[in-house]
Amino acid sequence: MSRNRDIRQEFERFAQRYSTLETVPETPRTLLDVIEHSLGTQEKAEVYATRLLRYFLDPSESHGLDDILLRQFIELFPEESAFQEDRTDLSDVTVETEVKVNGAAKLGGTRESDRTGYVDLVVSLPAEWFLMVEVKFYAGENNLTGDRRPQTEFYQAATHVDGVDKDNYESGEYYLYLHPNDTAQATADGFESMAWSTVTSEIIAPVLADHSPRLPQRTVNQLHEFTDDIEDLTGMSEESANRQEKIELYIDHYDAISDVQSTFEGRWEEFTNEWGDLLAETCSDSIRNEWIFRDGTDDWAFLFKHDWWRDAETLEPLGRTETNNNTLRVGFLHRLEHNRDLAVGDRELKFYFRNTPPNRHTTSGDTNFRDEFVANFEARTDSIGDELPEAAYLTGNMHNVIEATYDIPVAEYDDYFEAYLSALNTAFNEHVIENPQLVAELEDAYSETLENFR
């Protein structure tokens, strides 16, 4: 009890100091400012930022980040066209700068001409998907030499990326316009927009806060310096002035924070492995016999009928613990790791019905199954929509086709994980136990897809 009391007192001091973080002293100039990036104007600034960003995103580099920053970068891809690829294993992803983009592209009227350009950054999983990033700081888009169109229109219309036909990327293609403020937009409709402030505050800053003690000190210093340079280039230095003091506050109270966090992490891991059994205890024998609660995974926590998860080759149903990735599956789920900040910070549970996409382990037939299920689901959207609980809605997404949000009633329970389980139980009740008609509609869509697949 004495140790807990000491920690509570330390966090009281932490809270008091945190509440005063309104102004901070002037910080030293960044290295980029000292060497005067203006010597090279906008192009030099963009090359500098792009090369550093590529280095930190590349899992194969020696920075010690592995795929941590890359994963955070992909997670923050604008929601308007959310990144829908499998992220279980990003170790084979490549990250390159100044990538050649070319192919037959319209030049004004109807005449076609083979044009070439170089996009700033390309993140790709060969033969699966690519993410093309155009980097800007000051000016808008340029027209490529010999082509009358802005850069992003050309990049989107071109047929080849680094000599590879875009058609060879079977899963998806994504385009991102990285710019200094929240209002800039690319000319091409296919380019989503992301401000540099998102990179610094929502991508780099969380990585530093969560992983600094385990990263090489040089990498930590470089990330801080890169953040300062970006803020200087984009005029965000006032916005981020108190970030450094918050980091110092974290360091000053690191022992207490680590103690509390370690305790929570341990309990979270236990819950990851037991939520299925705990939920099953609240269900009748008939539900336990018909439904499988797939616990024990860090993130994708599925709840599915026994015949909704099948081997793609044999079409035999798989069980609770079988790990075959080459499957045809749909089901409800909650995402423990992906939505942990939402669950703990905002105390909200996200509950989905997912048409699981193929990943790099699967066969081309699974893509047909996915697309066929989407068609059968969409054919029933009116009847499915009529049966949805109040908390749920149809997303229009081909993977998470239904999404619902439930409050985690922390104030009603002494234990956070009991509150989480309560929210999950409510979600399962409203979608399954109390909603046989919704389950029947989903069963019909899956059965029809499976029959056509046979």
Side-chain angles (χ1 to χ4, degrees):
M1 291 298 294
S2 176
R3 173 59 178 164
N4 288 347
R5 183 167 56 251
D6 291 343
I7 291 177
R8 184 177 294 278
Q9 291 173 350
E10 183 165 351
F11 270 101
E12 288 176 356
R13 294 192 296 270
F14 177 97
Q16 291 172 357
R17 185 176 166 191
Y18 179 82
S19 67
T20 65
L21 291 181
E22 296 181 355
T23 60
V24 295
E26 183 179 356
T27 56
R29 295 168 65 190
T30 68
L31 287 177
L32 185 60
D33 182 47
V34 171
I35 64 175
E36 294 186 300
H37 68 268
S38 58
L39 289 175
T41 63
Q42 176 192 351
E43 182 179 358
K44 285 288 187 182
E46 290 176 0
V47 169
Y48 166 86
T50 302
R51 288 180 177 175
L52 274 178
L53 183 60
R54 187 217 69 79
Y55 170 73
F56 292 129
L57 291 177
D58 192 342
S60 68
E61 287 286 0
S62 59
H63 41 53
L65 287 161
D66 297 322
D67 64 3
I68 293 172
L69 200 76
L70 172 63
R71 191 173 295 276
Q72 188 78 0
F73 185 81
I74 290 175
E75 294 286 352
L76 265 292
F77 194 86
E79 293 181 356
E80 288 79 6
S81 59
F83 190 85
Q84 298 178 350
E85 309 303 326
D86 182 84
R87 284 160 271 183
T88 305
D89 183 1
L90 298 177
S91 60
D92 293 332
V93 167
T94 63
V95 189
E96 302 291 342
T97 60
E98 289 298 304
V99 177
K100 181 180 178 180
V101 178
N102 68 299
K106 287 186 178 180
L107 181 63
T110 59
R111 184 165 61 90
E112 298 278 318
S113 179
D114 190 30
R115 298 295 178 187
T116 297
Y118 291 86
V119 70
D120 292 318
L121 186 72
V122 172
V123 182
S124 68
L125 183 61
E128 293 292 331
W129 54 264
F130 68 82
L131 166 59
M132 193 178 292
V133 184
E134 179 62 15
V135 175
K136 294 296 179 186
F137 277 109
Y138 306 117
E141 296 182 49
N142 300 320
N143 290 343
L144 272 76
T145 302
D147 197 330
R148 299 173 186 171
R149 291 173 303 169
Q151 290 166 293
T152 56
E153 288 190 2
F154 174 84
Y155 296 147
Q156 188 174 337
T159 59
H160 289 73
V161 181
D162 201 19
V164 178
D165 194 316
K166 286 182 179 179
D167 290 341
N168 289 343
Y169 290 90
E170 295 186 352
S171 185
E173 54 187 74
Y174 303 86
Y175 301 87
L176 183 65
Y177 191 64
L178 193 54
H179 54 83
N181 56 66
D182 294 325
T183 58
Q185 299 288 329
T187 304
D189 292 338
F191 272 76
E192 299 297 337
S193 292
M194 179 187 289
W196 276 107
S197 58
T198 300
V199 175
T200 57
S201 64
E202 299 183 44
I203 296 175
I204 298 178
V207 169
L208 284 170
D210 293 340
H211 302 282
S212 285
R214 296 181 291 279
L215 293 175
Q217 189 59 45
R218 175 175 290 183
T219 296
V220 173
N221 293 339
Q222 289 172 340
L223 284 170
H224 282 304
E225 189 66 26
F226 180 54
T227 298
D228 291 340
D229 284 334
I230 295 303
E231 291 174 348
D232 186 55
L233 287 168
T234 57
M236 295 188 298
S237 55
E238 181 177 350
E239 172 188 320
S240 61
N242 69 349
R243 190 196 68 252
Q244 182 61 35
E245 186 160 344
K246 289 179 181 178
I247 292 173
E248 294 173 2
L249 182 62
Y250 172 82
I251 298 300
D252 289 345
H253 296 273
Y254 177 74
D255 288 344
I257 293 173
S258 295
D259 190 336
V260 172
Q261 186 170 357
S262 176
T263 301
F264 181 83
E265 294 283 354
R267 182 66 187 97
W268 182 272
E269 183 176 354
E270 290 176 359
F271 184 72
T272 297
N273 294 317
E274 69 183 16
W275 69 264
D277 289 333
L278 295 174
L279 183 63
E281 291 176 0
T282 69
C283 300
S284 65
D285 290 341
S286 61
I287 292 295
R288 286 197 294 268
N289 291 333
E290 188 176 8
W291 287 81
I292 294 176
F293 305 141
R294 194 178 178 88
D295 56 17
T297 62
D298 292 340
D299 195 2
W300 302 91
F302 271 91
L303 308 88
F304 57 96
K305 292 188 71 174
H306 186 263
D307 59 351
W308 284 1
W309 192 299
R310 293 175 180 266
D311 184 283
E313 296 182 1
T314 67
L315 299 186
E316 290 298 316
L318 298 177
R320 172 178 174 180
T321 60
E322 292 174 272
T323 57
N324 183 359
N325 287 317
N326 193 10
T327 58
L328 312 175
R329 61 193 189 275
V330 299
F332 294 102
L333 80 155
H334 58 115
R335 298 194 60 184
L336 289 158
E337 193 59 36
H338 178 79
N339 288 333
R340 188 162 94 168
D341 288 345
L342 183 68
V344 177
D346 295 342
R347 299 174 183 181
E348 289 183 348
L349 170 74
K350 288 289 186 182
F351 192 70
Y352 311 93
F353 186 81
R354 184 168 177 81
N355 173 28
T356 303
N359 59 34
R360 66 187 184 90
H361 300 288
T362 62
T363 64
S364 59
D366 302 347
T367 302
N368 297 334
F369 187 92
R370 175 199 63 186
D371 295 344
E372 177 74 14
F373 180 82
V374 169
N376 290 327
F377 182 92
E378 290 180 346
R380 295 170 170 81
T381 52
D382 288 344
S383 55
I384 290 174
D386 290 342
E387 303 302 332
L388 288 182
E390 183 177 349
Y393 70 97
L394 299 175
T395 66
N397 185 298
M398 69 188 304
H399 297 149
N400 294 328
V401 293
I402 297 173
E403 180 176 326
T405 303
Y406 290 88
D407 291 333
I408 298 175
V410 175
E412 299 176 16
Y413 292 85
D414 294 332
D415 180 82
Y416 168 82
F417 295 95
E418 291 180 0
Y420 187 107
L421 188 68
S422 172
L424 182 61
N425 186 50
T426 299
F428 187 67
N429 275 329
E430 291 188 0
H431 286 80
V432 176
I433 297 178
E434 300 170 359
N435 205 336
Q437 189 57 43
L438 174 60
V439 175
E441 294 286 349
L442 299 174
E443 173 75 19
D444 288 346
Y446 183 79
S447 298
E448 183 176 340
T449 305
L450 187 64
E451 186 63 30
N452 292 339
F453 187 78
R454 292 177 192 272

